[in-house]
Amino acid sequence: MSGGRHAVPVDVHLLAVREGKNGPEVLLSRRAGGVYASGMWHLPSGHVDGPFEDVVTALVRETAEETGLVVDPADVRAAVTVHHRAPSGRARIGILFEVRRWSGTPEIREPDVCDGMGWFPFDALPDPMVAYCRAGLDAYRAGAGVALHFQEPDDPIGYDCDPALARLRLVPGIGGEAGAGAGAVERGPGAAVKGFAERAIGRVAAWTDVSWARENSQVWQARGAAGGTWFVKVHQNEKFHRREVAALRGWVPGLGGAGPRLVAADPESRAIVVTAVEGRPLHGMVLTGAEERTVFEAIGALAARVHASPLAPHEVAGGGAPVGPYDRMERRLEAARALLEPGDEERVRAAVATAQASGPLAPVVTHGDLQLRNLLLGADGTVRVIDFERSEPQPCVRDFVRFLDRFEDREDLATAFFTGYGRRPTPAEEAHLIAGVALDSVSGIAFGTRTGDPELVERGRRTLARLATGSVRPGTLRPTDTPPQPGIPHPTGTLPRPGVPDPSGTLPPAPGAQPTAPAPSGTDARRHRDGHLPAAALPPRTAPVSAPPPTGILVRACAVIINADEVCLIRRRRPTGDQYSLPGGLRHLGESTTDALVRELAEELGFDALKTPEPPVLRWVQYQRTTRPGVPGLFERLHFVHTLAVPDSDRALIATTEQDADDGARVVWIPVGQAAGLHLYPAVGAVLTGLSDPPDEPVELPAMVDGTYVWR
């Protein structure tokens, strides 16, 4: 061969992926200085350092050097390999590795070659971006294992959406689709199961173990010698085998291709052979916010079809329907008791008692384990379902249990799901759903601890923590038909809540609280480190907040960040005009309001509020109950508004674009007097002109209602 061997450099690229408010987000850095593609966004990346460094070690090293994140090599997952040729004609191999767990907070560690770093949703990637990087991200989202990206000499370095410049080609896997066969392990079942399977489908040329990394999962992909693909499953007990076979013979064919077809079943070995179902598992799939909403609407529609399936004659003849797995409550609590937090058991028992008191629900066909890992998304956008070993007649809410956690802070997904389903839960169904979620969490904590599944344990603990605050309920899904509860007003009612303003803006006193006279507006000058803000009259103050926020209302922690005479705001473009928001976000369960604010400022602005000379101080509370375009029912929040003075050195550290948003909103600094007249969220303009004299104790501001506030 003339010219010798062709050699190309090998790059490693970090695909750090996290769940953002509007879907998955990826960490990107902006190249700077005298490097290739300076000024463009790219994945954190680097070269393999010589012949003695492997690609995983190189990724861990480059990640630490560029971002400060510490990654365990065991958490590195191969995503996609790209063979790239730049417009200059130079080629290279780039290997993208997905990482979803790390320690530390990303920060710019090499400022001479990087001047920006942030999180971006996959459907709102920044411009300009290196075309090579964009090709790798597109291949990753398509599920490809290998991709080609060979640019022509006149192509731009930066990504251009012009179809004439589309150079990405996905290489099909061994299963015929891009990415098929990735991570395959060639190991078949025992001789008895192999013999059973081959009697049903003919000689098998290759076995691939596709079992879940969980206790007693035994599933193989079987590729026939004459072509064709099937799946062989061995159930861990006779009950699961009987249930799945009954479902596959009974109601699954009625789904019209949205599930597999049973080829053969062997009760002796508890094995089944089913046809392959087209699609990729939704569990772990990277989707944009819009794609998630479409998928969840399809899942809701599929659940409705399952529940509309006719019960078998023996199931109808069985009499009354079970109202939930309450007969197993004692066993579940006993298994998890040592792992529960104080009060958890009592709250679980109370939830079950409330469900039982609401009366029984009619039985329907249920999948029994409806969750993302048992759902596949086809190339045509169709959602299909697998794994029916827990199918049995139950109330329909049994199939909602595993999704309630996904709906936390994602009202859009809940709305999409129940739009597809065709209706919302009734009050009685809500009670049984909450009880089912509580018991499922107890089981998840015990099972996850025993099998070493930290995600399952954390999900259970998170749900029980929400149960403690009363927020484990799909109440926002039915804002107009929830009956009044003691101490909680119906949206059309007038019952005041202690310590929370009603829609008129009046703050009713908490039980036992002494009336407090309005404090006069003072004019004594408070000086911040970097300048004196002009004193101005505040609007009349109302009574100090005398009670904690009521159960079930979401709390938003935000801050008036001041530098000299300017305030930091996030500007969002809206069809009817700009809207300016105070930086901040929703408080998570178990967080203090201050902790929530510190976390949100780090996520939104890349700013560590704990390092400021003066800590944030809570000054005002504002209640919101408004309608919002595109969101059904009433939008309810409590805004905890802090002040935070920052010196020039800290101001320089605050990002210029919102780091965790999907719209690339700008972070702007506006003179206080001018900011007071803008369309602000929350509506705190009246207090901005009096920042030289903030209240010593938190006070309540007039409520945000439709009569005083209009969304843009």
Side-chain angles (χ1 to χ4, degrees):
M1 182 176 68
S2 62
R5 293 179 181 268
H6 173 58
V8 296
V10 176
D11 302 329
V12 291
H13 303 255
L14 171 69
L15 255 172
V17 180
R18 73 174 188 183
E19 289 300 319
K21 293 180 179 178
N22 296 293
E25 299 172 337
V26 61
L27 181 67
L28 298 176
S29 60
R30 188 170 57 202
R31 301 171 68 84
V35 299
Y36 180 78
S38 181
M40 296 185 183
W41 291 92
H42 198 278
L43 290 167
S45 59
H47 304 299
V48 175
D49 193 6
F52 299 105
E53 184 178 54
D54 63 79
V55 290
V56 173
T57 301
L59 179 84
V60 171
R61 173 182 55 76
E62 288 285 352
T63 297
E65 291 174 357
E66 292 193 24
T67 72
L69 297 179
V70 178
V71 173
D72 187 330
D75 292 325
V76 174
R77 299 290 182 266
V80 59
T81 299
V82 181
H83 191 188
H84 166 70
R85 183 182 65 196
S88 65
R90 296 178 181 177
R92 61 198 323 107
I93 298 291
I95 307 176
L96 280 66
F97 291 97
E98 182 192 85
V99 175
R100 290 179 178 263
R101 292 172 51 179
W102 55 79
S103 60
T105 301
E107 60 183 10
I108 298 173
R109 287 293 185 91
E110 298 178 336
D112 54 329
V113 294
C114 173
D115 65 358
M117 186 172 294
W119 295 97
F120 297 89
F122 280 87
D123 62 348
L125 297 172
D127 283 326
M129 175 175 281
V130 179
Y132 170 28
C133 173
R134 178 60 184 259
L137 289 175
D138 289 345
Y140 166 70
R141 293 184 64 200
V146 176
L148 306 179
H149 186 249
F150 269 40
Q151 293 183 279
E152 298 298 329
D154 294 331
D155 285 355
I157 295 173
Y159 170 73
D160 191 316
C161 62
D162 185 347
L165 298 173
R167 307 301 184 198
L168 178 63
R169 289 173 50 203
L170 306 182
V171 179
I174 57 177
E177 296 183 10
V185 178
E186 299 293 332
R187 185 174 69 250
V193 174
K194 279 186 177 180
F196 154 70
E198 292 195 327
R199 287 194 298 273
I201 59 177
R203 189 170 68 84
V204 174
W207 293 92
T208 302
D209 190 335
V210 292
S211 305
W212 280 95
R214 290 186 174 177
E215 191 175 54
N216 298 322
S217 176
Q218 297 183 73
V219 185
W220 294 269
Q221 182 189 73
R223 292 197 298 277
T229 301
W230 295 266
F231 286 88
V232 178
K233 179 178 182 179
V234 176
H235 296 100
Q236 60 181 287
N237 57 50
E238 190 274 334
K239 179 174 67 175
F240 285 174
H241 178 75
R242 184 179 68 251
R243 286 177 177 173
E244 184 145 23
V245 170
L248 289 167
R249 287 175 176 167
W251 58 267
V252 174
L255 297 181
R261 176 174 58 84
L262 180 65
V263 176
D266 178 31
E268 260 190 56
S269 61
R270 301 194 303 270
I272 59 173
V273 179
V274 297
T275 57
V277 177
E278 192 272 325
R280 294 193 294 135
L282 279 166
H283 179 77
M285 186 178 291
V286 178
L287 300 173
T288 66
E291 290 168 342
E292 281 187 301
R293 290 187 286 273
T294 299
V295 164
F296 269 81
E297 184 170 346
I299 295 172
L302 180 59
R305 292 171 63 192
V306 171
H307 297 166
S309 302
L311 291 166
H314 72 277
E315 294 170 336
V316 175
V323 295
Y326 309 138
D327 57 329
R328 300 191 293 274
M329 179 177 68
E330 297 299 336
R331 187 176 67 190
R332 294 185 180 196
L333 287 171
E334 178 62 29
R337 186 167 286 122
L339 306 170
L340 300 180
E341 297 294 328
D344 281 347
E345 180 173 345
E346 291 75 14
R347 284 185 284 270
V348 171
R349 290 184 183 276
V352 171
T354 299
Q356 291 175 319
S358 70
L361 302 177
V364 298
V365 169
T366 65
H367 179 275
D369 192 20
L370 199 64
Q371 57 177 308
L372 295 185
R373 73 184 182 96
N374 291 327
L375 293 164
L376 309 178
L377 181 62
D380 59 354
T382 300
V383 174
R384 299 177 174 89
V385 63
I386 59 172
D387 196 354
F388 308 95
E389 63 184 28
R390 297 182 185 273
S391 174
E392 61 178 337
Q394 283 282 348
C396 64
V397 294
R398 178 69 187 94
D399 283 339
F400 303 161
V401 165
R402 299 289 170 84
F403 290 114
L404 204 59
D405 182 71
R406 297 280 300 183
F407 295 159
E408 182 182 4
D409 294 336
R410 290 298 303 272
E411 296 173 5
D412 59 329
L413 296 188
T415 298
F417 180 90
F418 285 103
T419 296
Y421 191 73
R423 68 175 181 87
R424 306 173 191 274
T426 66
E429 287 173 336
E430 273 197 11
H432 287 284
L433 176 55
I434 293 170
V437 169
L439 287 172
D440 188 71
S441 298
V442 170
S443 297
I445 291 171
F447 182 81
T449 300
R450 185 176 75 249
T451 59
D453 189 332
E455 188 274 335
L456 198 58
V457 173
E458 184 57 32
R459 184 174 67 188
R461 294 194 187 282
R462 183 169 63 247
T463 300
L464 292 182
R466 291 172 59 210
L467 185 67
T469 65
S471 60
V472 180
R473 60 187 304 271
T476 54
L477 307 180
R478 298 187 305 100
T480 59
D481 61 356
T482 304
Q485 302 177 30
I488 299 180
H490 190 274
T492 59
T494 58
L495 180 64
R497 306 184 191 189
V500 180
D502 67 15
S504 67
T506 304
L507 181 69
Q514 296 297 317
T516 306
S521 175
T523 56
D524 57 313
R526 272 177 193 257
R527 297 182 179 273
H528 297 292
R529 288 184 70 257
D530 299 300
H532 171 62
L533 297 178
L538 284 170
R541 295 178 177 178
T542 57
V545 176
S546 55
T551 297
I553 295 184
L554 297 177
V555 172
R556 184 177 187 271
C558 54
V560 178
I561 302 177
I562 297 293
N563 170 252
D565 62 347
E566 292 187 322
V567 61
C568 179
L569 298 172
I570 298 173
R571 183 180 68 190
R572 291 185 171 85
R573 302 290 190 182
R574 297 290 190 242
T576 57
D578 290 353
Q579 179 174 293
Y580 294 82
S581 301
L582 295 182
L586 292 179
R587 184 178 68 184
H588 292 177
L589 292 173
E591 282 186 319
S592 69
T593 306
T594 302
D595 288 343
L597 179 66
V598 170
R599 174 183 51 75
E600 285 288 342
L601 295 183
E603 292 174 357
E604 283 191 346
L605 306 180
F607 178 65
D608 187 352
L610 295 178
K611 295 182 179 179
T612 56
E614 300 175 17
V617 179
L618 176 62
R619 304 292 189 184
W620 303 280
V621 175
Q622 187 170 51
Y623 175 59
Q624 175 186 8
R625 191 163 73 174
T626 61
T627 55
R628 183 177 182 180
V631 178
L634 291 171
F635 189 86
E636 193 172 23
R637 294 284 189 272
L638 270 180
H639 300 274
F640 280 39
V641 185
H642 302 68
T643 57
L644 176 63
V646 298
D648 293 340
S649 56
D650 283 349
R651 172 172 170 166
L653 300 176
I654 293 177
T656 57
T657 58
E658 191 178 13
Q659 301 296 291
D660 62 348
D662 60 352
D663 54 3
R666 300 291 298 175
V667 176
V668 296
W669 290 87
I670 295 177
V672 171
Q674 178 183 343
L678 298 174
H679 190 280
L680 296 175
Y681 181 77
V684 296
V687 302
L688 290 186
T689 55
L691 287 176
S692 61
D693 180 34
D696 294 323
E697 298 292 335
V699 298
E700 176 254 335
L701 296 175
M704 297 169 64
V705 294
D706 284 346
T708 62
Y709 186 84
V710 178
W711 284 92
R712 287 185 175 176

